[in-house]
Amino acid sequence: MRRGTIDIITLGCSKNLVDSEKLMRQLEENGYRVTHDSEHPQGEIAVINTCGFIGDAKEESVNMILEFCQAKEEGRLKRLYVMGCLSERYLKDLEKEIPQVDKFYGKFNWNELLADLGKAYRPEIAVERHLTTPRHYAYLKISEGCDRKCSYCAIPIITGPHVSRPMEEILDEVRLLVSQGVKEFQVIAQELTYYGVDLYKKQMLPELIDRMAKIPGVEWIRLHYAYPAHFPEDLFRVMRENDNVCKYMDIALQHISDNMLQKMRRHVTKAETYDLIGRFRKEVPGIHLRTTLMVGHPGETEQDFEELKEFVRKARFDRMGAFAYSEEEGTWSAGHYTDDVPADVKRQRLDELMSIQQEISGELNQAKVGKTLKVIIDRKEGEYYVGRTEFDSPEVDPEVLIKVEDGHRLRTGAFHFVKITGADDFDLYATIVK
């Protein structure tokens, strides 16, 4: 147990990670040594940043808290603090159930931890972070919360209404990160397309991305978590006109049957969804679309699921994730519907959907064999350098494996052109273009 060392453990999404990175920077400014490794904690203090999105994530967060409680009871840890989404949502319950935790914080008041440690929050470094990602890329959070009221989603309950960050503050953060060596930005929000509506009375995502793209040193910008209804169509032009805006869009569609879209309160129709996908591919040639779909929402019939399978086959998403509905208290679904799709049916539908997608992913990957693509090198692993194309986001998308060969020393964070020599369902194999 190292004195003066604090372990930060982050669970859940990249939006949580940004909060952890900001806390780490504040702690360092106050004289602490900070680590970010749940596998090998070594500090006398631990801070767990929790996720509270769905059942599995909540269970993982609780298990992690209990694991550190045990370390505290065994004398391997002096103090334990908990923050984040689970804590925001169930603060009182957690305080009662897990008294070994020294203090629980919500999602937005984590800076109070500094005062409880006898330190001061430094507003002058509010946009600074201790990056936990490789230093060539960073997540850039442009807003908090969500004004959408999808039936199944607890996030608005946890994070509150949509709040955009001022554009100049975001651009200042980008310039700062570029000065520290960041080349690639994963732009994130609970709902990207609503950016600016609260501050500027209109959707400002296209302008923000256009201005970001003009900052020297910004090599790649990738967009995550868009919403299909009222999509800001000027973004198509911005993606076309700026080579450093990746031809990539992460847009969670959830379902396709009008019956389910209405039950899910998605404010979009089947026809509008197909039309939007068509617009993307026409306006931004070569774009790679990532989506997330849900099976087993209350009221999903076999016919609805058949429509969903047909949609996956027709749309041929480059990247796709899916999950089974889990009832979350406080949501519209929990109050108005019965969770009427049996667990085994949900599992079967999920497996079936992912099996269709695996085949499509394999075919789309095979179609890249023989092509020359630009990649960024993330790391060296065994006998391969591991990189990504502009179509691949870290952690969730395929990687490009380049055999380590004599005469080729590839630096992490450097861009290279490679020729794709092989493919499997999820990864590509390549050689450096001499």
Side-chain angles (χ1 to χ4, degrees):
M1 183 166 60
R2 288 193 186 173
R3 290 195 60 184
T5 296
I6 298 182
D7 296 310
I8 308 287
I9 293 91
T10 307
L11 302 167
C13 66
S14 49
K15 294 183 285 298
N16 265 12
L17 187 68
V18 171
D19 294 339
S20 290
E21 291 176 343
K22 290 194 169 185
L23 175 59
M24 290 171 77
R25 180 71 188 90
Q26 289 283 341
L27 290 167
E28 285 173 337
E29 189 70 9
N30 277 286
Y32 287 100
R33 181 176 178 272
V34 187
T35 68
H36 190 261
D37 182 0
S38 61
E39 297 292 315
H40 308 99
Q42 50 190 265
E44 59 180 352
I45 299 170
V47 182
I48 302 174
N49 190 354
T50 56
C51 178
F53 177 41
I54 55 174
D56 288 350
K58 289 191 282 194
E59 188 180 338
E60 183 189 14
S61 291
V62 170
N63 288 342
M64 186 66 76
I65 295 168
L66 294 175
E67 197 178 302
F68 276 79
C69 285
Q70 188 176 343
K72 190 181 173 196
E73 286 168 0
E74 292 170 0
R76 292 182 285 121
L77 185 68
K78 277 194 177 170
R79 279 180 280 174
L80 174 60
Y81 299 100
V82 173
M83 60 185 269
C85 292
L86 186 80
S87 190
E88 177 77 29
R89 195 170 180 202
Y90 300 108
L91 191 77
K92 295 287 179 236
D93 293 339
L94 289 166
E95 284 174 341
K96 196 166 64 181
E97 295 292 326
I98 316 179
Q100 301 95 315
V101 173
D102 290 276
K103 190 167 177 183
F104 290 91
Y105 304 87
K107 182 167 172 56
F108 302 109
N109 68 333
W110 51 261
N111 51 0
E112 290 175 17
L113 169 61
L114 293 154
D116 291 333
L117 292 171
K119 306 295 182 183
Y121 178 78
R122 306 287 176 85
E124 69 275 14
I125 60 164
V127 299
E128 294 185 24
R129 289 192 260 154
H130 172 124
L131 288 185
T132 59
T133 53
R135 65 190 295 268
H136 56 275
Y137 72 80
Y139 293 97
L140 184 73
K141 182 159 58 170
I142 64 170
S143 65
E144 285 282 9
C146 187
D147 284 355
R148 310 291 184 182
K149 296 287 188 285
C150 302
S151 64
Y152 48 85
C153 187
I155 285 171
I157 300 168
I158 299 168
T159 62
H162 180 99
V163 179
S164 302
R165 291 176 62 197
M167 191 178 296
E168 294 305 330
E169 180 187 293
I170 295 169
L171 295 171
D172 283 346
E173 183 176 355
V174 171
R175 291 183 195 102
L176 176 67
L177 288 165
V178 167
S179 75
Q180 295 170 351
V182 174
K183 303 173 180 181
E184 176 186 3
F185 291 85
Q186 324 296 339
V187 180
I188 57 172
Q190 193 52 49
E191 207 281 72
L192 276 185
T193 54
Y194 212 71
Y195 174 74
V197 171
D198 53 330
L199 286 182
Y200 309 107
K201 308 306 173 208
K202 62 175 185 172
Q203 291 170 302
M204 293 292 277
L205 185 67
E207 183 176 327
L208 173 66
I209 301 306
D210 207 23
R211 289 183 64 187
M212 260 185 79
K214 304 290 191 287
I215 294 173
V218 174
E219 300 264 3
W220 275 355
I221 300 168
R222 198 175 285 105
L223 303 174
H224 292 271
Y225 322 124
Y227 190 87
H230 310 296
F231 189 85
E233 299 202 350
D234 195 37
L235 196 58
F236 296 140
R237 175 192 61 78
V238 172
M239 295 180 91
R240 266 199 321 269
E241 291 180 0
N242 294 285
D243 287 341
N244 55 354
V245 179
C246 296
K247 307 290 186 282
Y248 178 102
M249 177 57 70
D250 186 340
I251 182 164
L253 297 172
Q254 307 299 0
H255 218 286
I256 193 62
S257 89
D258 283 324
N259 175 42
M260 292 317 301
L261 291 170
Q262 191 174 0
K263 279 190 162 65
M264 290 178 169
R265 307 176 87 207
R266 293 288 288 169
H267 305 291
V268 71
T269 66
K270 176 178 183 173
E272 287 165 346
T273 303
Y274 271 109
D275 182 59
L276 181 61
I277 291 169
R279 289 289 308 280
F280 265 117
R281 289 177 169 156
K282 177 169 176 259
E283 300 272 357
V284 191
I287 194 166
H288 281 46
L289 296 177
R290 161 174 270 286
T291 197
T292 308
L293 301 173
M294 179 191 287
V295 299
H297 183 282
E300 185 184 53
T301 64
E302 280 299 331
Q303 175 57 39
D304 293 323
F305 182 58
E306 287 302 320
E307 280 187 59
L308 188 59
K309 288 195 295 184
E310 180 190 31
F311 177 54
V312 171
R313 290 191 188 102
K314 276 187 176 173
R316 291 179 69 79
F317 293 104
D318 302 274
R319 320 273 180 252
M320 191 195 90
F323 61 103
Y325 170 83
S326 85
E327 185 173 280
E328 295 297 315
E329 67 245 54
T331 60
W332 173 272
S333 285
H336 293 78
Y337 303 136
T338 302
D339 189 359
D340 58 357
V341 181
D344 60 332
V345 174
K346 288 179 188 173
R347 270 195 307 276
Q348 176 207 327
R349 288 178 181 174
L350 186 60
D351 291 346
E352 208 175 323
L353 206 61
M354 291 311 296
S355 172
I356 294 168
Q357 180 60 30
Q358 186 172 344
E359 197 173 313
I360 291 166
S361 295
E363 289 168 4
L364 293 174
N365 263 3
Q366 286 295 336
K368 290 188 168 79
V369 174
K371 292 188 174 174
T372 297
L373 299 173
K374 183 181 176 182
V375 299
I376 193 165
I377 305 299
D378 278 342
R379 65 189 183 278
K380 186 181 173 192
E381 201 172 278
E383 56 185 16
Y384 290 101
Y385 290 107
V386 182
R388 288 173 294 105
T389 72
E390 70 172 292
F391 312 120
D392 305 307
S393 199
E395 309 290 339
V396 295
D397 288 331
E399 294 176 317
V400 181
L401 306 179
I402 304 149
K403 196 94 168 178
V404 174
E405 293 175 16
D406 291 335
H408 281 309
R409 290 195 59 197
L410 307 185
R411 203 164 36 84
T412 297
F415 287 96
H416 292 276
F417 282 95
V418 300
K419 184 171 185 180
I420 306 302
T421 56
D424 56 30
D425 288 347
F426 296 110
D427 292 317
L428 298 170
Y429 298 85
T431 55
I432 294 291
V433 174
K434 306 278 195 297

